[in-house]
Amino acid sequence: MPSRLNPYLNFTGDARQAMEFYNNVFGGSLMLHTYGESGAADYQEADKIMHGRLETDSGFTLMAADTPKGMEHNTGNAITVSLSGDDAGELRGYWEKLSDGGTVSVPLEKQMWGDEFGACVDRFGVPWMVNIVQSR
């Protein structure tokens, strides 16, 4: 397997719901392992996600977990997930699903640099940027 770089998101108990949501947005194959399935059956949060991975048909990989009790969790202000490319239909589709139920800070529209760009925070508190590259 070649080396790769991908986002790893942490949640406070709703990693399963978030990853199922992202699976609905992007499609692909979703794998979820709970703390209980990973050998911590007596753990008070055995049903929470210890590790999740979404592999999409477009080649995206998104990983996530629930932050265990007792560990500090700061939502969203340290990372933004960026989607970019020139397939306007595909990227607009992702934008519609990601922004649904979330907060749009920059509407997806043509910007001064010529591309279509938008920024939002999805319903799980994760910031996203979408940039649709225009032919130059």
Side-chain angles (χ1 to χ4, degrees):
M1 176 175 145
S3 297
R4 65 174 142 183
L5 178 69
N6 60 270
Y8 200 112
L9 306 174
N10 291 289
F11 296 91
T12 58
D14 54 1
R16 176 181 302 279
Q17 296 87 343
M19 291 300 282
E20 288 171 349
F21 170 71
Y22 299 135
N23 187 215
N24 180 271
V25 171
F26 299 112
S29 176
L30 178 62
M31 180 271 310
L32 298 171
H33 292 292
T34 66
Y35 285 99
E37 293 168 336
S38 300
D42 295 340
Y43 181 55
Q44 67 183 26
E45 296 180 296
D47 64 328
K48 299 301 180 196
I49 302 302
M50 187 183 94
H51 177 70
R53 183 178 69 234
L54 174 63
E55 299 280 351
T56 75
D57 297 336
S58 297
F60 304 151
T61 300
L62 184 62
M63 296 181 183
D66 283 312
T67 303
K69 286 191 191 291
M71 289 183 68
E72 186 175 349
H73 179 268
N74 295 314
T75 303
N77 61 0
I79 187 170
T80 299
V81 183
S82 175
L83 292 169
S84 58
D86 61 3
D87 188 330
E90 179 182 53
L91 290 164
R92 281 190 194 105
Y94 296 151
W95 170 261
E96 290 300 320
K97 292 176 183 176
L98 290 166
S99 62
D100 183 33
T103 303
V104 173
S105 56
V106 178
L108 182 63
E109 59 190 22
K110 191 163 187 116
Q111 301 296 323
M112 62 183 168
W113 61 89
D115 294 348
E116 287 181 64
F117 174 85
C120 69
V121 175
D122 72 25
R123 64 180 85 168
F124 296 99
V126 175
W128 293 83
M129 296 185 303
V130 175
N131 191 80
I132 303 171
V133 177
Q134 303 298 302
S135 299
R136 299 208 187 341

